[in-house]
Amino acid sequence: MSVQSVLVIAIIAVFAAAALVALVRLVQGPSILDRAVASDVLLTEVMCLLGAEMVINQHARTLPVLLIIAAIGVFGTVAVARFVARRDQQS
């Protein structure tokens, strides 16, 4: 087993553990802001995994996917922030 294989397995293990923790927070989050942060963390982890895959396999075919995921994350966060701000103004 090469050093690169060990590193890839370690990276996958760390990202899987972080995704599991973020998923727990996404499901159990006491507030909508906790869930929004957890969903941002999950999107960021997906982007990091896709970026790592691009580097390991030395290609740039998934770059448009990364950009779309980033845009979805930004627009989702803005939408949730606007919803929470509007809800706070009404109460």
Side-chain angles (χ1 to χ4, degrees), residues 25-38 80 84 87:
R25 176 59 69 185
L26 185 65
V27 172
Q28 293 181 347
S31 70
I32 192 168
L33 293 177
D34 292 329
R35 291 184 171 122
V37 170
V80 169
V84 170
R87 190 180 66 180

Side-chain angles (χ1 to χ4, degrees), residues 63-88:
L63 191 58
V65 176
L66 283 176
L67 293 174
I68 291 170
I69 291 173
I72 289 172
V74 168
F75 295 141
T77 302
V78 169
V80 169
R82 290 186 63 140
F83 172 75
V84 170
R86 186 173 294 164
R87 190 180 66 180
D88 287 344

